[in-house]
């Protein structure tokens, strides 16, 4: 399989890195720091591949190790070296695909490469990283009895929220302005922390979105709050001009529609039902509030006004 110059350099560097696995991490990183540039110069001179010019990566690693004062660090060629070279080839392909993507997306953003535009967003990322770090700390210190909100407010203390947010922002900006960590473990720890904050931000975003969907509004209908004066009426008692109770009275409105008030039922003082003898009002003549003389029966039938009385005029 034909490899480009960048792929060949990446494969060779990875082979040298695997061969130097026995060295301290700081020494190994120092030896490999300028190796890609040196290998690019070797290829530019021509005369064959890196393997042909410099020999196997393990042999070249032995020379680097010896120059640093270490011996017997080179690993023999074998199955481990072949696996390392295969992994390096795949890594080189991924790097090449990322470079192509970087170069194609860049013009859309107005830059030769998208990475150049992302560099301008670093200060914004520093601020966002500080906010996410403060929120993560507040989440771990929160009692979870009440919602945390959008501020790092552990225990609901606003002053603690301001202090924690300020420390997070200042610490993140200070970390961003520093040079890239030299040690491999420091870089891995920084990448691990960044990945954790990204996952924390995604989960928090979906939590806030779910809470916003749950807090929908109810349609509030306005009703007349004035009390109904007929709501407590259970029976109707009608008296004539002489103060006598009229029994079997029918009530109609101006449109000839019957008026129904109360419930057509009657109970004695013990709560037992009493049969209703006459249609109309009152349902319980014996429970009239005023007893003046003998009750007189009205001549109005139960089905409507009497024939002799004028019929109600329909409403217009």
């Amino acid at each position: 399989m034909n490899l480009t110059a960048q792929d060949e350099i990446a494969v060779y560097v990875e082979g040298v890195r695997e061969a130097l696995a026995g060295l301290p991490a700081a020494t190994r990183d120092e030896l490999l720091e300028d190796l890609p540039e040196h290998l690019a110069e070797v290829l530019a001179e021509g005369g064959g591949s890196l393997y042909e010019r410099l020999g196997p990566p393990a042999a070249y690693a032995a020379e680097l190790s010896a120059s640093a004062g270490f011996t017997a660090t080179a690993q023999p060629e074998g199955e481990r070296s072949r696996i390392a070279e295969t992994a390096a080839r795949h890594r080189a392909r991924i790097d090449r695909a990322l470079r192509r993507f970087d170069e194609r997306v860049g013009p859309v953003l107005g830059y030769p490469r998208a990475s150049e535009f992302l560099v301008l967003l670093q200060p914004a990322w520093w601020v966002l990283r500080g906010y996410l770090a403060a929120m993560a700390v507040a989440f771990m210190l929160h009692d979870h009895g009440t919602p945390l909100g959008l501020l790092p407010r552990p225990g609901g203390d606003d002053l603690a929220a301001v202090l924690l947010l300020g420390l997070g922002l200042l610490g993140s900006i200070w970390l961003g302005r520093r040079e890239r960590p030299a040690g491999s473990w420091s870089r891995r720890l920084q990448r691990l922390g960044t990945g954790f904050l990204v996952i924390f931000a995604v989960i928090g975003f979906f939590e806030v979105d779910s809470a916003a969907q749950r807090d929908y509004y109810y349609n509030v209908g306005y009703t007349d709050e004035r009390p109904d004066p007929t709501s407590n009426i259970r029976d109707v008692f009608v008296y004539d001009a002489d103060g006598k109770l009229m029994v079997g009275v029918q009530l109609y409105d101006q449109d000839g529609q019957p008026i129904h008030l109360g419930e057509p039922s009657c109970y004695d003082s013990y709560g037992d039902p009493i049969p209703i003898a006459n249609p109309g009002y009152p349902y319980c003549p014996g429970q009239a509030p005023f007893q003046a003389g003998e009750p007189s029966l009205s001549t109005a039938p139960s089905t409507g006004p009497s024939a002799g009385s004028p019929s109600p005029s329909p409403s217009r």
Side-chain angles (χ1 to χ4, degrees), residues 11 15 27 96 105 109 119 149 155 171 236 271 288:
V11 171
T27 303
R96 182 172 56 187
V105 176
L109 301 175
V119 170
V236 177

Side-chain angles (χ1 to χ4, degrees), residues 5-311:
Q6 293 293 333
D7 295 339
E8 185 178 358
I9 292 173
V11 171
Y12 201 89
V13 170
E14 188 63 26
V16 175
R17 185 188 302 276
E18 290 292 330
L20 296 176
L23 294 180
T27 303
R28 183 176 64 250
D29 294 339
E30 183 179 356
L31 293 176
L32 297 174
E33 183 177 3
D34 299 327
L35 182 58
E37 290 80 2
H38 173 67
L39 297 180
E41 294 176 357
V42 172
L43 285 178
E45 295 174 357
S49 65
L50 294 176
Y51 197 93
E52 296 170 346
R53 294 285 305 277
L54 303 177
Y60 189 81
E63 296 178 3
L64 289 178
S65 177
S67 65
F70 293 89
T71 59
T73 58
Q75 298 179 358
E77 293 290 333
E79 186 66 23
R80 182 177 180 182
S81 297
R82 287 194 294 270
I83 294 176
E85 291 183 4
T86 302
R89 290 192 185 97
H90 290 297
R91 192 177 296 110
R93 294 193 190 100
I94 295 174
D95 293 339
R96 182 172 56 187
L98 291 176
R99 286 196 302 270
R100 290 178 179 176
F101 178 80
D102 189 16
E103 294 173 354
R104 291 181 180 179
V105 176
V108 178
L109 301 175
Y111 292 85
R113 287 183 291 271
S115 57
E116 297 181 8
F117 174 74
L118 294 179
V119 170
L120 301 178
L121 299 181
Q122 282 186 347
W125 162 243
W126 296 344
V127 174
L128 178 60
R129 179 176 58 184
Y131 169 76
L132 293 176
M135 288 295 295
V137 173
F139 179 80
M140 290 184 290
L141 297 178
H142 194 56
D143 57 0
H144 303 287
T146 57
L148 183 60
L150 297 178
L151 287 177
R153 190 182 292 109
D157 191 348
D158 293 337
L159 180 59
V162 174
L163 294 177
L164 188 59
L165 183 60
L167 290 176
L169 295 178
L170 293 177
S172 178
I173 295 173
W174 173 81
L175 184 64
R177 292 179 60 87
R178 290 185 59 195
E179 296 181 357
R180 185 180 180 183
S184 59
W185 282 105
S186 299
R187 290 195 297 268
R188 291 175 183 175
L189 184 62
Q190 185 174 355
R191 292 171 184 171
L192 181 63
T194 300
F196 169 77
L197 291 180
V198 170
I199 297 174
F200 179 78
V202 172
I203 296 176
F205 173 80
F206 281 104
E207 287 291 334
V208 173
D209 181 69
S210 300
Q213 292 180 355
R214 290 193 298 266
D215 294 338
Y216 54 84
Y217 292 94
Y218 291 95
N219 291 327
V220 179
Y222 293 94
T223 57
D224 189 0
E225 298 181 354
R226 293 176 297 178
D228 184 6
T230 64
S231 61
N232 294 326
I233 296 178
R234 296 188 301 272
D235 204 348
V236 177
F237 300 89
V238 180
Y239 294 84
D240 61 8
D242 297 330
K244 294 182 180 180
L245 177 67
M246 302 179 65
V247 180
V249 175
Q250 301 289 332
L251 302 179
Y252 296 88
D253 63 7
Q254 71 280 354
D255 298 323
Q257 301 296 327
I259 299 175
H260 299 286
L261 298 174
E263 295 292 335
S265 58
C266 185
Y267 299 91
D268 59 15
S269 59
Y270 299 101
D272 297 325
I274 301 176
I276 300 178
N278 299 302
Y281 298 106
Y283 303 128
C284 305
Q287 299 179 4
F290 307 105
Q291 296 289 346
E294 295 295 332
S296 61
L297 294 175
S298 68
T299 58
S302 61
T303 57
S306 63
S309 62
S311 61

